[in-house]
Amino acid sequence: MKISAVIISYNEAQNIGRCIGALHTWVDEIIVLDSFSTDATVAIAQQYGAKVVQEIFQGFAAQKNRAAALAQHDWVLSIDADEQISEALKTSIIEVCQQPQYDAYFLKRTTQFYGKFIKHGSWYPDKQCRLWNKTKGQWTGEIHEKWRLFDAQQKYGLLNGDLLHYSFDTIEAYMAMANRYTSMSAQEAFKKGKKVSFLKMVLGPVFKFIQDYIFKLGFLEGYAGWLAYRLAAQMAFLKYSKIRELYKNNKN
């Protein structure tokens, strides 16, 4: 079974080499769908032999569906530019591709934060469906896009090994992401008519921190775990606050 690796990108010069470097020796083709990067992303991708196509960004789900459509082979490995296939995961993918038993497979993603990969709490295993037969499903969703099979009776598999996520180099980068995503999430909730009580806005983030840090053993990650889940709780508070703000502004 041949595999096409597909990546969407925009100004990922810092990450794209690491991402493709872990792929180019064993996948059958690499497709990079770039949204007209202004840095060296395209040049670096081409150095590794990737086929680069540039198109205007149409949203994450639409962009990833387009990238999959460009692939020559039915089996697609979809990976973000700030991710890297570990050696253990590479072995699992190669083994399952010799005789696939499912039409789609989840990978276990671990995110690097404050200098270490978080392996406890709600951040792990952050299961992501990234290896699939493109004729059997598609990407859906506006903000947190997901790949779904067309037939609800079909089942997903789970691979061993980790997908390494180099997402947040600094606290500032995390907070920039949090501000962007909470705004989009709040808008989505507002459109669906979802409301947040004052009690949930105050207590929800507290319960989230207790669940992540204590019950899901986030404290085993030391200071990095405390900081990660403290900021995650703050992100929840920010989302709830923005939802209430939207209703307040709409009422006025």
Side-chain angles (χ1 to χ4, degrees):
M1 187 181 77
K2 292 188 175 182
I3 302 176
S4 296
V6 298
I7 305 164
I8 65 171
S9 66
Y10 176 71
N11 287 351
E12 291 285 356
Q14 181 179 353
N15 296 308
I16 196 76
R18 178 181 59 230
C19 177
I20 299 180
L23 295 170
H24 75 106
T25 60
W26 58 279
V27 298
D28 296 285
E29 70 167 347
I30 299 174
I31 304 292
V32 174
L33 182 58
D34 183 74
S35 301
F36 297 98
S37 292
T38 57
D39 63 5
T41 297
V42 171
I44 295 172
Q46 290 174 335
Q47 287 176 5
Y48 282 96
K51 176 184 177 182
V52 179
V53 177
Q54 291 188 300
E55 294 183 4
I56 296 174
F57 185 75
Q58 300 291 335
F60 288 107
Q63 205 77 352
K64 289 186 176 182
N65 281 326
R66 173 58 179 154
L70 293 170
Q72 294 184 27
H73 311 300
D74 286 343
W75 277 90
V76 171
L77 174 62
S78 179
I79 182 169
D80 292 342
D82 62 355
E83 297 171 341
Q84 180 184 13
I85 300 293
S86 66
E87 283 297 318
L89 180 55
K90 168 186 169 182
T91 300
S92 296
I93 293 173
I94 292 175
E95 288 177 353
V96 78
C97 285
Q98 294 175 2
Q99 191 174 359
Q101 299 179 4
Y102 301 96
D103 294 298
Y105 290 86
F106 280 95
L107 316 183
K108 294 180 289 186
R109 185 169 69 170
T110 176
T111 297
Q112 186 186 61
F113 183 78
Y114 213 73
K116 69 181 300 184
F117 285 103
I118 304 296
K119 290 294 189 75
H120 299 89
S122 62
W123 282 16
Y124 185 84
D126 178 20
K127 296 178 183 178
Q128 302 284 324
C129 187
R130 296 298 186 81
L131 178 66
W132 25 264
N133 186 322
K134 71 177 184 179
T135 66
K136 303 297 179 67
Q138 66 179 4
W139 288 98
T140 62
E142 293 294 329
I143 300 173
H144 299 288
E145 70 282 358
K146 294 183 179 180
W147 198 88
R148 299 186 186 280
L149 290 166
F150 293 134
D151 187 347
Q153 301 301 315
Q154 294 174 318
K155 296 182 179 180
Y156 298 84
L158 176 65
L159 297 181
N160 293 320
D162 289 334
L163 177 63
L164 308 178
H165 187 207
Y166 296 86
S167 185
F168 312 114
D169 294 329
T170 64
I171 296 174
E172 182 180 7
Y174 180 91
M175 295 308 297
M177 177 281 299
N179 187 50
R180 184 172 64 254
Y181 273 88
T182 53
S183 293
M184 291 189 293
S185 297
Q187 288 283 354
E188 183 179 43
F190 178 73
K191 290 177 182 178
K192 293 180 179 179
K194 295 182 179 180
K195 296 184 178 181
V196 177
S197 68
F198 178 76
L199 195 62
K200 181 176 181 179
M201 183 180 73
V202 174
L203 297 182
V206 176
F207 290 139
K208 177 172 177 54
F209 176 78
I210 292 174
Q211 181 184 43
D212 287 340
Y213 190 67
I214 298 177
F215 295 119
K216 292 188 177 182
L217 308 181
F219 64 87
L220 294 177
E221 299 294 343
Y223 179 70
W226 181 88
L227 186 59
Y229 293 119
R230 175 66 182 83
L231 291 175
Q234 184 175 337
M235 185 174 175
F237 175 78
L238 192 60
K239 174 185 173 180
Y240 297 152
S241 299
K242 289 181 178 181
I243 293 174
R244 288 177 61 88
E245 181 182 50
L246 286 171
Y247 277 99
K248 177 177 179 296
N249 291 341
N250 185 64
K251 182 178 179 180
N252 292 337

